[in-house]
Amino acid sequence: MIGLLALVGAAHATDILFVDATPATLDDFSVAGVFYGMVISAAEDDDLSFDDADAIRKWAGADADACWDVEACPANLWGRTDARLAVVLSVEGTDTGLEVGVRLHGADEAAPFKVIRERVAPGQEGAFARTVAKAAKDSLSLLPMRKPVPGPVLVIEDEFVPGDPPPRDPLPRDPLPDVDRGDPVTDTRPVDPTPPPDRTPDRTPDRTGGADPDDRAVTARLSAEEERRRMGIPAGAYRRYEASGLSRADWLRKARVRAGHGFLELSGGYALGDVDRGYGVRLRIEEQGDGAFQTIGSSTWEGPGAGGAPSFGFALGYAPAWFLDTSVSVAVVYGAKHLNTGWECLDACDPASSEYMHDPVRAVQAVIEPRLRIYPVPTGVVKPYALLAFSVMLHDGFQVPDPEFVDYPDSPAGASLGPTAGLGLAFDPISRLSLFLEVPGTLLLTPARVEGDRDVTLQPGSLESDGYLIRVVGGIGVRL
């Protein structure tokens, strides 16, 4: 027979809880962390007995996160600690320094007994951190000691095993202590010389899914790492998410994280460089009799020309990670086409030659680009980025009008190729909407096409070329 077994676990013992500083906005996480570290250093210099944010999380989990903004904090901590004082901080960065709020809470009190609000000038952060630590030390001397907070009580009922001798009358013993009243736990009952059976909990998972606590901790860490990867954010941003107290969806929306979203963009701008195309052709002909002529030689030039033109486009893409956008962009550049023609007849022809410059006409070149955008920051409304792409510029051909006795060759459609790089700035005013401004530059590697016969003395006209295309582009994007 096994008697009543009571196991009483002690609560976490310390004097002061220095709860992690709550940033006023997402942009204040870094300054809040730096100032909180100064306060902890000052508390260590004063030899205070305290738990910092990391120690509190070990026994309170996330219950102390964003404590300044949570009405239930630090009241939700007192049942698990013997601390008499909680120091709750709020930090906001401004153009003139820091706006710091300090609340001092006595144990088991709903409201703080002291509140400090201070504007801390640059360079004075360390001095004010020492002031906070001193205020905690002075306040601690005024607070009464607390009774020990009992841990959980585990009761195992008596167990009767068949074949055991009948129970003996118990010997006189003192009554069990009143645990709720705080009496010390001492049992004066006689000890059965027969050792009790081993009741050490089995550390292997049971059929219902139970697991060792250490295994559950590893699983929790793996789950956090998996969640971070699914959110597509770095470790620092994930810690800010954990400290925010927000749901995953709300935090991602508030932090303007782009990872994990497809997007559609519409853009417009102006292009400078090789936005035009030109084609020049010269023929040498000879009369064959009866008014017929035969072409005996040709010389042609076809290639890009420098200028300026409007440009419009759209892009479809996906952001696989916080630092990367992938997309395919299609844009059109409204340039011009320039055509010049001519012929010569050197044997008994009058006139012996003719050249004609046609009026330029509007034309469109299509720019197709697989692109990468690389972002140095994962969160925030404003995100600078670098742009890398490979551009293919498609252009149509030239259909040359022919006079009665000359048959000019046409020029086929083609493409110009080249790498693209640039810089840009993205603005995310709301979670699903983006504005952007970027300047991509393309180095065009496809040269002009020149063909000719030495029998032709006239040279076709050509255009001046820059060898590049620069676009200034602005647009709007919607994340899907």
Side-chain angles (χ1 to χ4, degrees):
M1 180 181 63
I2 302 174
L4 180 66
L5 178 62
L7 300 178
V8 180
H12 196 79
T14 190
D15 286 335
I16 305 174
L17 305 180
F18 281 100
V19 182
D20 203 359
T22 302
T25 68
L26 288 174
D27 295 332
D28 297 322
F29 271 99
S30 59
V31 294
V34 170
F35 181 75
Y36 179 76
M38 293 180 178
V39 173
I40 295 303
S41 297
E44 291 173 344
D45 292 342
D46 283 346
D47 294 327
L48 297 179
S49 172
F50 66 90
D51 277 0
D52 62 6
D54 291 336
I56 294 171
R57 287 193 185 96
K58 290 180 181 179
W59 52 266
D63 288 350
D65 291 347
C67 192
W68 184 275
D69 296 331
V70 177
E71 185 177 354
C73 185
N76 56 351
L77 306 178
W78 299 126
R80 288 170 282 182
T81 178
D82 287 340
R84 293 180 285 154
L85 175 67
V87 180
V88 182
L89 302 171
S90 170
V91 180
E92 178 181 5
T94 67
D95 294 337
T96 58
L98 300 180
E99 294 284 348
V100 180
V102 183
R103 294 202 304 246
L104 302 179
H105 294 257
D108 302 321
E109 295 294 334
F113 63 83
K114 186 173 185 178
V115 177
I116 305 172
R117 293 186 181 274
E118 187 77 16
R119 178 172 295 175
V120 182
Q124 299 299 313
E125 296 88 352
F128 187 66
R130 290 190 291 273
T131 299
V132 174
K134 185 177 185 304
K137 183 176 183 179
D138 294 343
S139 299
L140 189 65
S141 64
L142 304 176
L143 296 174
M145 298 299 293
R146 298 180 66 196
K147 290 183 179 180
V149 179
V153 177
L154 175 63
V155 177
I156 301 176
E157 298 293 342
D158 287 346
E159 183 177 4
F160 177 74
V161 180
D164 283 351
R168 294 170 294 178
D169 291 336
L171 297 176
R173 62 177 182 263
D174 295 336
L176 288 177
D178 189 342
V179 176
D180 292 334
R181 196 178 61 235
D183 293 343
V185 180
T186 56
D187 193 350
T188 60
R189 292 172 295 177
V191 178
D192 190 341
T194 304
D198 184 11
R199 294 184 181 271
T200 303
D202 188 0
R203 298 178 64 85
T204 58
D206 60 25
R207 296 181 181 180
T208 61
D212 174 59
D214 293 338
D215 295 336
R216 288 197 296 270
V218 172
T219 302
R221 288 196 297 271
L222 293 176
S223 298
E225 179 63 19
E226 178 64 23
E227 182 182 34
R228 185 188 69 79
R229 287 198 298 266
R230 290 185 179 182
M231 292 171 70
I233 56 177
Y238 186 76
R239 287 193 295 269
R240 294 196 293 272
Y241 153 66
E242 289 185 308
S244 70
L246 300 174
S247 69
R248 179 167 63 182
D250 288 343
W251 187 87
L252 289 173
R253 189 162 46 246
K254 186 175 181 181
R256 310 292 196 269
V257 176
R258 304 170 69 91
H261 290 282
F263 58 87
L264 169 66
E265 293 178 346
L266 300 177
S267 62
Y270 198 78
L272 298 170
D274 291 345
V275 299
D276 293 349
R277 299 294 299 181
Y279 180 54
V281 55
R282 299 294 185 269
L283 300 182
R284 181 172 179 177
I285 60 176
E286 288 184 353
E287 187 175 6
Q288 300 296 309
D290 298 329
F293 291 84
Q294 179 184 5
T295 299
I296 62 172
S298 66
S299 181
T300 62
W301 179 94
E302 193 270 334
S311 175
F312 301 94
F314 71 94
L316 285 172
Y318 179 75
W322 65 267
F323 58 86
L324 185 65
D325 280 355
T326 62
S327 65
V328 175
S329 169
V330 178
V332 293
V333 178
Y334 288 92
K337 293 170 65 175
H338 304 264
L339 174 65
N340 64 91
T341 59
W343 56 267
E344 60 184 11
C345 179
L346 303 182
D347 297 327
C349 292
D350 187 19
S353 65
S354 174
E355 292 183 282
Y356 184 70
M357 301 295 295
H358 297 258
D359 292 333
V361 297
R362 302 299 294 178
V364 172
Q365 293 189 74
V367 184
I368 301 175
E369 295 174 332
R371 314 174 108 202
L372 297 176
R373 285 178 179 155
I374 302 171
Y375 297 86
V377 294
T379 61
V381 175
V382 180
K383 301 183 183 71
Y385 61 85
L387 170 66
L388 297 175
F390 188 82
S391 301
V392 180
M393 283 187 74
L394 304 177
H395 58 80
D396 62 349
F398 287 81
Q399 302 292 325
V400 184
D402 298 322
E404 295 181 5
F405 53 88
V406 177
D407 184 12
Y408 289 115
D410 296 329
S411 176
S416 299
L417 309 174
T420 296
L423 297 174
L425 201 60
F427 303 88
D428 299 333
I430 59 178
S431 61
R432 295 289 186 176
L433 180 68
S434 294
L435 304 174
F436 65 91
L437 178 66
E438 63 188 23
V439 183
T442 303
L443 179 64
L444 297 173
L445 303 178
T446 305
R449 181 171 55 87
V450 180
E451 297 177 354
D453 296 328
R454 283 182 288 180
D455 293 335
V456 181
T457 62
L458 296 178
Q459 295 300 313
S462 61
L463 301 178
E464 292 291 333
S465 172
D466 289 332
Y468 61 80
L469 183 70
I470 296 178
R471 287 165 288 161
V472 180
V473 180
I476 185 172
V478 178
R479 287 192 287 280
L480 308 176

